[in-house]
């Protein structure tokens, strides 16, 4: 295929030429996009887009960062109602300036999981323009898909040539100077882009008439080097969002799919029979899994197709409740449709072979991470192209050669990633039941059948203890079926995945074990070895699975597998636990996974997640961590968190629905990987954290933490870095944040951080003094010089400090401290000078502050300060001379006798003074 040659610039087109071009372009776009083929492309009867279009929930905000979590889990997160109002956007306003923003939006990046409606969204946007309903200030709109552009990977085009190639109206009217017009380019499906987009090594191109490769053309267009006046709208799945540099994106939006009311609207539009629609809506609400998945419009189509078929044919009184049964019936629906239409209803060998071939394609491409594939991929799996088109609902031909004669290759995909995952599971089970050892060994390893050795390596104990309850007399190791070992090995492999790309695949695989589901598939799977006893063994092994070194997010999939096997016992037990007022009962690890899942998808926000409050093992506590995504306060203290656990915390901070405001990670070692993950969460514009406690986290180098805190306006009000070996260099790094205009910190604890020199800290506090209310410098060897340095901050008129802790700081002379506190009216309410060599002379100085009219001190701690009776006399006199605010006085661990404190005791007992608490002695 020849690309258009470079041409010299042409003169500006006449108004009449422009008008003709506009009319042709709009007419052709209207014809192209006015109809959709719901769920499947170019198959079945077309539907007018404007008739069935249901508004999608689109939110502004987020970052163009990679999100490689399994998309089902992203949907679970997105399904929660946001704790705070979100900025929502209508599709026609995608380029509209948000309030307070003046600079025009050039590039919008819209993210959303597969099947959420991104493509239909861009089609509706284009159709409204073509029909004259919206955005009429735009003169040219050019919608592309990366699937189309992939087919031009060997070609060279100029930008003008590329537009002419796809939109021939512009070529016919010789429109070449697009920089003179308001132009919108739409690029749908960045995640399907095959050529690598290398923004760091691409040649700069500014001439829209100069030819180059398509990827270089795209990069320069996105960077704004080519046609800087144009607007761009790019859609992508979250896993590919980071291909576009953040500085090239003006606004990030996210398509969340359907809200609950929008789901109902969809089904009522889909089914005109009100009774039928109501039954389907009611059924979906009873199954949490189906209800969550219906946030995806394509899944609504799948659900509607299956439930309509089941009800119409009265095949079962019970509607499908598990995902496995739903997808089984979806495949059967299209197989039966095919049989009736082509084979007179007879089940044939060709049907079984086609299922096997489709399954192999699904499995191979799932492992490679591909959603789209080409004719060569089909041929490798033994798929006949003509036969594949028969299964239009399961397998979709995207472009045909006679529809687009510009393409020499045809592109294929499954209707949704979940269908691909299901067929992959069917294929893997088929390979197991038919003993296709080469496939099994390639996936699971050659030793997968050596069950005792393999499983012992995985769990660190013998196979019998792992698979079964060792207390059971009839659990003989010889009885372990190969199906148990097979499923265990597949589960092991899936749990090792960082992003859970095999999670749904494994859920389907366990669901296929059920005899009821195998009956539905008939002979397509071949002979199976399962029995009710085998199923119970699999269920038992799932409940006892040890996953202490596995991500808690991955562990939740064990619970999902139980649900797919129709074992509801764990779910019911957790529901009873949540209803119970007495929650002291012991929770197993699988109970904790179930509880974490239920809490994180609940519409009711958890106020506090405190792992220590649950009666479970340390491993059980760690399995609860995913619930951090749906709580306001998280106390994850001393739990031995690893990288996978910090990933959960980070995703909670980065989520668009993030509600976490307090996070306590104290007592967990933050190594380089853990700190990097935490910083990524803190940098996110979605992070709303107000309190961060990192006591005893093994920190010494905190430059990355400081950088994260400085990177954006922060909500952080409390920072606890106590008991970390920061030393003076670490505090110097921290000062960069304290001096930042973004810093509004109110509470700072640097207790026992090996400090000696705090002049830089004082300087930082003086430059931005008004917010800090609590400062803890205890257990640092500051000595008298350190206190003198701090006085510069205390004397600042804007200093609003309310709490100051100086215990164990090696002080002997506090005269400068007292002088600073007396120099102006102070906000100080609590002062701790314990375990310093204050002695009686120091207390005498201190009383000068207590007698001052500006003193509002309420708590004074002087534990272990070498005090005698005379200090008690000084204090009593000071409190008498001034109607003191002091409510609490702690003099413990000083060599004082009861008579020494007689005057202070009288003050405590008198109603004329406010002293409520007086401590002394050696408690």
């Amino acid at each position: 295929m020849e690309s258009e040659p470079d041409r010299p610039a042409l003169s500006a087109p006449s108004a009449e030429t422009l008008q003709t071009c506009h009319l042709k372009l709009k007419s052709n776009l209207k014809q192209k996009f006015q109809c959709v083929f719901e769920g499947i492309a170019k198959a079945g009867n077309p539907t007018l887009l404007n008739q069935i279009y249901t508004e999608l929930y689109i939110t502004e905000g987020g970052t163009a960062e990679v999100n490689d979590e399994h998309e089902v889990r992203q949907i679970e997160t997105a399904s929660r109602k946001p704790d705070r109002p979100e900025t929502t956007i209508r599709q026609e306003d995608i380029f509209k300036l948000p309030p307070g923003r003046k600079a025009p939006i050039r590039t919008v990046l819209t993210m959303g999981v597969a099947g959420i409606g991104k493509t239909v969204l861009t089609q509706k946007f284009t159709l409204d323009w073509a029909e004259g309903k919206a955005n009429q200030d735009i003169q040219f709109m050019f919608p592309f898909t990366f699937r189309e552009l992939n087919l031009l990977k060997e070609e060279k085009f100029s930008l003008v040539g590329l537009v002419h190639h796809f939109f021939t109206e512009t070529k016919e009217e010789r429109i070449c100077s697009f920089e003179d017009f308001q132009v919108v380019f739409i690029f749908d499906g960045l995640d399907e882009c095959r050529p690598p987009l290398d923004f760091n090594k691409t040649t700069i191109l500014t001439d829209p008439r100069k030819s180059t490769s398509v990827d270089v053309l795209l990069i320069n267009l996105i960077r704004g080097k080519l046609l800087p006046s144009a607007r761009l709208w790019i859609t992508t799945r979250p896993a590919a969002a980071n291909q576009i540099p953040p500085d090239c994106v003006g606004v990030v939006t996210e398509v969340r799919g359907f809200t609950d009311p929008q789901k109902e609207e969809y089904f009522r539009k889909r089914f005109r029979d009100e009774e039928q629609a109501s039954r389907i809506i009611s059924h979906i609400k009873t199954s949490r899994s189906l209800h969550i998945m219906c946030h995806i419009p394509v899944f609504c189509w799948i659900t509607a197709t299956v439930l309509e078929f089941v009800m119409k044919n009265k095949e079962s009184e019970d509607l499908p409740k598990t995902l496995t049964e739903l997808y089984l019936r979806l495949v059967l629906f299209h197989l039966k449709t095919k049989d009736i239409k082509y084979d007179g209803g007879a089940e044939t060998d060709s049907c079984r072979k086609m299922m096997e071939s489709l399954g192999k394609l699904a499995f191979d491409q799932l492992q490679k991470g591909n959603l789209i594939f080409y004719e060569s991929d089909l041929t490798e799996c033994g798929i006949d192209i003509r036969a594949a088109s028969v299964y239009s609902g399961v397998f979709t031909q995207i472009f045909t050669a006679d529809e687009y004669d510009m393409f020499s290759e045809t592109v294929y995909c499954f209707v949704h990633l979940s269908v691909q995952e299901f067929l992959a599971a069917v294929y893997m089970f088929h390979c197991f039941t038919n003993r296709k050892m080469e496939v099994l060994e390639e996936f699971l390893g050659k030793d997968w059948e050596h069950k005792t050795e393999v499983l012992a390596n995985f769990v660190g104990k013998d196979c019998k203890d792992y698979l079964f309850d060792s207390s059971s007399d009839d659990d003989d190791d010889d009885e372990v079926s190969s199906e148990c070992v097979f499923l265990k090995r597949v589960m092991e492999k899936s749990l090792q995945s960082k992003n859970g790309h095999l999670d749904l695949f494994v859920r389907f695989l366990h669901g296929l074990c059920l005899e009821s589901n195998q009956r539905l598939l008939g002979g397509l799977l071949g002979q199976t070895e399962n029995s009710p006893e085998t199923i119970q063994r699999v269920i038992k092994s799932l409940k006892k699975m040890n996953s202490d070194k596995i991500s808690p997010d991955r562990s939740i999939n064990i619970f999902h597998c139980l649900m797919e096997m129709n074992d509801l016992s764990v779910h019911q037990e957790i529901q009873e636990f949540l209803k119970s007022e007495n929650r002291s009962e012991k929770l197993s690890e699988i109970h904790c996974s179930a509880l974490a899942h239920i809490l994180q998808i609940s519409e009711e926000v958890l106020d506090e997640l405190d792992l220590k409050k649950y009666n479970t093992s340390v491993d059980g506590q760690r399995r609860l961590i995913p619930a951090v995504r749906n709580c306001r306060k998280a106390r994850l203290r001393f739990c031995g968190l690893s990288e996978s656990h910090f990933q959960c915390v980070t995703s909670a901070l980065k989520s668009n629905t993030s509600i976490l405001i307090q996070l306590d990670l104290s007592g967990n070692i933050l190594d380089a990987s853990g700190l990097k993950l935490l910083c990524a969460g803190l940098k996110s514009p979605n992070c709303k954290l107000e309190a961060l406690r990192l006591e005893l986290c093994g920190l010494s180098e905190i430059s990355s933490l400081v950088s994260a805190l400085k990177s954006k306006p922060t909500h952080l009000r409390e920072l606890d870095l106590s008991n970390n070996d920061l030393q003076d260099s670490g505090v110097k790094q921290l000062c960069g944040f304290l001096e930042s205009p973004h810093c509004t910190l109110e509470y700072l604890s640097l207790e026992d951080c090996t400090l000696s020199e705090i002049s830089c800290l004082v300087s930082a506090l003086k430059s931005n003094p008004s917010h800090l209310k609590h400062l803890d410098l205890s257990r640092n060897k500051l000595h008298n010089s350190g206190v003198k340095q701090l006085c510069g901050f205390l004397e600042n008129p804007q200093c609003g400090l309310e709490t100051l802790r100086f215990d164990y700081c090696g002080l002997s002379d506090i005269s400068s401290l007292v002088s600073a506190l007396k120099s102006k009216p102070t906000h100080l309410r609590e002062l701790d000078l314990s375990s310093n060599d204050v002695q009686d002379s120091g207390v005498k100085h201190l009383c000068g502050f207590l007698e001052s009219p500006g003193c509002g001190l309420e708590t004074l701690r002087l534990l272990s300060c070498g005090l005698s009776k005379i200090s008690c006399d000084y204090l009593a006199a000071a409190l008498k001379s001034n109607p003191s605010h002091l409510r609490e006085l702690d003099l413990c661990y000083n060599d004082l006798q009861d008579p020494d404190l007689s005057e202070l005791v009288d003050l405590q007992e008198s109603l004329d003074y406010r002293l409520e608490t007086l401590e002394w002695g050696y408690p």
Side-chain angles (χ1 to χ4, degrees):
M1 182 171 62
E2 293 290 333
S3 59
E4 181 177 288
D6 296 340
R7 297 185 180 186
L10 301 177
S11 57
S14 66
E16 184 179 354
T17 300
L18 275 176
Q19 179 69 10
T20 301
C21 186
H22 287 154
L23 290 175
K24 285 183 180 180
L25 179 61
K26 287 189 173 185
S27 176
N28 289 338
L29 289 175
K30 179 179 177 181
Q31 185 176 0
K32 182 178 180 179
F33 292 130
Q34 66 183 348
C35 291
V36 292
F37 298 81
E38 191 182 13
I40 55 178
K42 310 301 180 279
N45 297 318
T47 305
L48 289 175
L49 175 58
N50 286 332
Q51 278 187 1
I52 61 98
Y53 181 76
T54 303
E55 285 287 346
L56 290 162
Y57 188 55
I58 313 168
T59 63
E60 180 191 340
T63 59
E65 295 178 336
V66 63
N67 187 343
D68 56 6
E69 298 172 331
H70 193 285
E71 291 191 342
V72 170
R73 189 148 60 79
Q74 294 181 46
I75 283 295
E76 289 172 350
T77 302
S79 69
R80 293 199 316 265
K81 293 179 179 177
D83 191 51
R84 295 176 172 88
E86 294 184 292
T87 303
T88 58
I89 304 173
R90 294 173 64 86
Q91 53 86 14
E92 61 266 30
D93 297 330
I94 206 76
F95 287 103
K96 187 177 180 179
L97 285 176
R101 177 164 175 165
K102 296 180 180 179
I105 298 171
R106 183 177 188 270
T107 303
V108 176
L109 181 68
T110 295
M111 298 189 295
V113 301
I116 202 72
K118 302 183 296 296
T119 296
V120 173
L121 188 68
T122 61
Q123 290 177 356
K124 176 63 173 170
F125 182 82
T126 306
L127 181 62
D128 284 352
W129 177 77
E131 292 182 337
K133 294 179 179 177
N135 293 298
Q136 294 308 290
D137 60 314
I138 296 171
Q139 291 164 295
F140 288 101
M141 190 172 292
F142 301 127
F144 294 87
T145 69
F146 281 96
R147 290 179 182 176
E148 295 171 320
L149 297 173
N150 284 341
L151 301 177
L152 305 178
K153 55 190 174 187
E154 305 299 329
E155 306 295 329
K156 289 188 180 294
F157 285 91
S158 67
L159 181 59
V160 172
L162 188 69
V163 171
H164 284 178
H165 185 71
F166 282 92
F167 304 95
T168 55
E169 311 87 349
T170 60
K171 183 177 182 180
E172 291 167 2
E173 302 301 329
R174 300 172 67 83
I175 308 293
C176 298
S177 301
F178 294 110
E179 51 266 66
D180 299 330
F181 307 106
Q182 182 61 263
V183 180
V184 168
F185 289 91
I186 298 174
F187 295 103
D188 184 36
L190 173 66
D191 48 284
E192 297 174 347
C193 180
R194 287 291 178 96
L197 298 182
D198 191 340
F199 281 80
N200 296 320
K201 298 180 181 179
T202 300
T203 306
I204 299 297
L205 182 67
T206 58
D207 185 354
R209 294 165 190 80
K210 185 174 182 180
S211 293
T212 185
S213 62
V214 173
D215 59 314
V216 172
L217 207 61
L218 289 173
I219 289 170
N220 279 281
L221 185 60
I222 293 170
R223 276 227 176 269
K225 304 299 181 182
L226 270 177
L227 222 59
S229 62
R231 297 179 187 175
L232 279 67
W233 187 8
I234 303 168
T235 72
T236 181
R237 290 169 61 210
N242 67 335
Q243 289 191 56
I244 309 295
D247 61 336
C248 294
V249 178
V251 170
V252 177
T253 62
E254 182 180 1
V255 182
R256 301 277 187 84
F258 289 157
T259 61
D260 289 351
Q262 288 166 343
K263 293 177 199 174
E264 294 196 22
E265 180 187 348
Y266 171 88
F267 286 109
R268 297 196 189 281
K269 283 183 176 180
R270 181 74 162 68
F271 299 99
R272 296 189 178 181
D273 185 323
E274 180 63 31
E275 183 179 345
Q276 192 178 40
S278 296
R279 185 185 176 193
I280 288 175
I281 292 168
S282 176
H283 174 71
I284 290 168
K285 287 181 178 179
T286 62
S287 172
R288 186 66 178 160
S289 293
L290 298 188
H291 191 251
I292 287 173
M293 290 290 282
C294 278
H295 283 278
I296 307 174
V298 166
F299 190 81
C300 287
W301 170 79
I302 292 172
T303 305
T305 301
V306 171
L307 297 186
E308 181 182 31
F309 176 72
V310 172
M311 290 189 295
K312 183 178 180 180
N313 292 275
K314 298 182 180 178
E315 289 197 344
S316 172
E317 292 184 5
D318 296 326
L319 297 177
K321 292 181 180 178
T322 67
L323 293 181
T324 305
E325 186 180 355
L326 189 79
Y327 279 74
L328 256 175
R329 291 189 178 277
L330 175 72
V331 171
L332 289 174
F333 167 74
H334 291 291
L335 288 179
K336 289 190 176 184
T337 302
K338 178 259 178 189
D339 288 339
I340 293 167
K341 187 174 181 180
Y342 296 92
D343 300 319
E347 187 176 12
T348 63
D349 288 339
S350 63
C351 179
R352 185 181 299 108
K353 289 178 181 177
M354 177 55 70
M355 278 295 293
E356 181 180 349
S357 297
L358 288 176
K360 176 174 172 50
L361 176 72
F363 179 74
D364 290 348
Q365 298 301 322
L366 179 66
Q367 291 203 88
K368 294 175 183 177
N370 293 336
L371 275 176
I372 62 170
F373 8 94
Y374 300 94
E375 208 165 294
S376 57
D377 298 318
L378 274 67
T379 304
E380 283 181 20
C381 295
I383 296 176
D384 178 83
I385 305 302
R386 187 199 65 80
S389 64
V390 170
Y391 300 89
S392 57
V394 178
F395 191 78
T396 305
Q397 184 172 296
I398 301 301
F399 299 121
T400 58
D402 54 356
E403 181 180 1
Y404 287 102
D405 59 4
M406 65 184 75
F407 299 126
S408 59
E409 198 169 359
T410 307
V411 186
Y412 300 86
C413 78
F414 291 97
V415 296
H416 188 251
L417 173 61
S418 56
V419 174
Q420 183 175 341
E421 291 168 305
F422 173 74
L423 290 174
V426 171
Y427 173 72
M428 180 50 58
F429 212 98
H430 168 78
C431 291
F432 169 72
T433 56
N434 289 277
R435 314 304 290 172
K436 296 196 173 186
M437 300 305 296
E438 185 178 346
V439 176
L440 297 174
E441 288 177 357
E442 183 180 349
F443 182 54
L444 299 176
K446 291 188 177 181
D447 63 345
W448 75 270
E449 278 200 299
H450 301 163
K451 52 184 179 295
T452 303
E453 179 184 350
V454 173
L455 295 176
N457 289 338
F458 177 46
V459 298
K461 52 184 178 179
D462 67 82
C463 175
K464 181 177 177 181
D465 286 347
Y466 179 54
L467 282 175
F468 313 115
D469 182 354
S470 58
S471 63
S472 176
D473 296 333
D474 59 356
D475 283 338
D476 193 298
D477 193 52
D478 294 335
E479 299 176 14
V480 179
S481 72
S482 60
E483 187 168 354
C484 285
V485 178
F486 165 68
L487 289 173
K488 184 62 62 178
R489 192 73 178 90
V490 176
M491 176 64 83
E492 171 195 345
K493 188 174 182 69
S494 75
L495 289 175
Q496 292 169 347
S497 166
K498 287 188 176 182
N499 61 6
H501 74 288
L502 295 175
D503 280 6
L504 202 54
F505 164 79
V506 172
R507 284 163 68 173
F508 285 136
L509 203 55
H510 280 77
L512 288 170
C513 292
L514 294 183
E515 185 182 357
S516 58
N517 286 336
Q518 289 176 16
R519 278 200 310 270
L520 284 174
L521 270 182
L524 290 177
L525 289 179
Q527 294 299 314
T528 58
E529 304 175 6
N530 71 330
S531 65
E533 292 76 17
T534 299
I535 297 300
Q536 287 307 307
R537 289 183 186 277
V538 173
I539 289 172
K540 187 180 291 187
S541 73
L542 285 172
K543 291 181 179 180
K544 290 182 174 294
M545 182 168 285
N546 178 359
S547 64
D548 60 311
K549 296 181 180 179
I550 304 298
S551 160
D553 281 321
R554 302 282 69 75
S555 301
I556 287 177
N557 208 44
I558 302 171
F559 168 64
H560 286 310
C561 289
L562 287 172
M563 299 291 283
E564 290 301 318
M565 297 186 75
N566 271 337
D567 184 274
L568 306 179
S569 59
V570 173
H571 181 265
Q572 291 166 350
E573 287 159 8
I574 287 300
Q575 293 293 351
E576 290 300 315
F577 171 80
L578 290 172
K579 292 176 184 176
S580 172
E581 293 184 3
N582 178 18
R583 298 186 180 179
S584 60
E585 59 192 275
K586 179 86 171 178
L587 296 178
S588 67
E589 279 83 357
I590 189 62
H591 281 125
C592 291
S593 287
L595 180 58
H597 173 68
I598 290 170
L599 290 176
Q600 76 167 324
I601 68 173
S602 172
E603 292 184 355
E604 183 177 340
V605 173
L606 186 66
D607 184 61
E608 182 179 72
L609 174 67
D610 187 348
L611 301 187
K612 299 297 183 183
K613 288 185 177 180
Y614 294 93
N615 183 11
T616 186
S617 64
V618 175
D619 291 340
Q621 289 177 354
R622 293 177 188 140
R623 285 206 191 185
L624 287 166
I625 290 175
V628 74
R629 297 185 178 95
N630 195 27
C631 73
R632 294 189 181 91
K633 305 169 189 174
R635 292 173 58 84
L636 314 180
R637 298 171 59 87
F638 296 93
C639 292
L641 304 187
S642 65
E643 181 176 348
S644 63
H645 305 118
F646 286 119
Q647 286 172 341
C648 288
V649 174
T650 299
S651 70
L653 295 173
K654 294 168 69 173
S655 168
N656 274 355
T657 57
S658 178
I659 55 174
L660 194 61
I661 58 172
Q662 291 187 18
L663 177 61
D664 190 346
L665 295 172
S666 299
N668 297 288
I669 299 302
L670 263 172
D671 58 12
S673 61
L675 185 58
K676 183 178 179 180
L677 284 166
L678 176 62
C679 290
L682 296 173
K683 286 180 181 178
S684 170
N686 295 321
C687 176
K688 301 176 178 68
L689 206 62
E690 296 176 4
L692 177 61
R693 301 186 182 102
L694 300 174
E695 181 183 1
L696 274 169
C697 285
L699 297 174
S700 56
E701 169 58 51
I702 60 169
S703 58
S704 59
L705 176 64
V706 171
S707 177
L709 294 175
K710 287 172 60 179
S711 64
K712 64 178 184 64
T714 177
H715 299 265
L716 202 66
R717 301 290 179 269
E718 178 180 341
L719 180 60
D720 188 347
L721 295 170
S722 302
N723 295 283
N724 291 289
D725 190 25
L726 301 185
Q727 302 188 37
D728 297 337
S729 57
V731 171
K732 189 172 183 179
Q733 292 168 347
L734 181 64
C735 291
F737 169 56
L738 297 175
E739 292 170 341
S740 167
H742 295 330
C743 177
T744 54
L745 211 60
E746 296 177 359
Y747 178 101
L748 176 61
S749 179
L750 297 171
E751 179 184 356
D752 199 9
C753 287
T754 328
L755 309 184
S756 60
E757 169 59 53
I758 60 169
S759 59
C760 64
L761 175 65
V762 173
S763 176
L765 294 177
K766 286 171 67 177
S767 69
N768 188 16
S770 58
H771 298 284
L772 197 67
K773 291 180 171 58
H774 307 272
L775 179 61
D776 190 347
L777 294 170
S778 302
R779 298 179 182 272
N780 291 289
K781 297 180 180 179
L782 301 181
H783 302 295
N784 299 332
S785 59
V787 174
K788 287 180 180 178
Q789 291 170 349
L790 187 66
C791 290
F793 168 54
L794 297 175
E795 291 170 345
N796 190 302
Q798 295 182 36
C799 175
L801 209 61
E802 296 177 2
T803 301
L804 179 59
R805 297 195 177 104
F806 260 137
D807 54 307
Y808 284 99
C809 283
L811 308 185
S812 59
D813 182 0
I814 61 170
S815 58
S816 58
L817 173 65
V818 172
S819 176
L821 294 175
K822 288 170 62 179
S823 65
K824 65 178 184 63
T826 178
H827 299 269
L828 201 66
R829 298 293 176 265
E830 179 178 340
L831 179 61
D832 191 344
L833 294 170
S834 302
S835 300
N836 290 289
D837 192 23
V838 175
Q839 300 195 31
D840 297 333
S841 59
V843 171
K844 185 175 182 179
H845 283 299
L846 187 61
C847 287
F849 169 54
L850 294 175
E851 293 169 347
S852 167
C855 176
L857 204 64
E858 297 177 355
T859 300
L860 177 61
R861 294 190 173 92
L862 296 170
L863 291 81
S864 188
C865 284
L867 308 185
S868 67
K869 178 181 183 300
I870 193 168
S871 288
C872 297
D873 295 340
Y874 289 148
L875 289 167
L879 297 183
K880 286 179 182 179
S881 67
N882 180 31
S884 174
H885 297 271
L886 201 68
R887 296 176 182 273
E888 180 179 349
L889 179 59
D890 195 338
L891 301 175
C892 291
Y893 299 104
N894 289 288
D895 190 16
L896 300 173
Q897 305 300 319
D898 288 357
D900 299 338
L901 292 115
S902 59
E903 287 191 70
L904 287 172
V905 171
D906 290 342
L907 290 177
Q908 181 191 10
E909 295 174 350
S910 172
L911 298 177
D912 296 330
Y913 300 94
R914 298 184 182 182
L915 191 62
E916 298 170 355
T917 303
L918 177 62
E919 301 285 349
W920 75 92
Y922 299 87

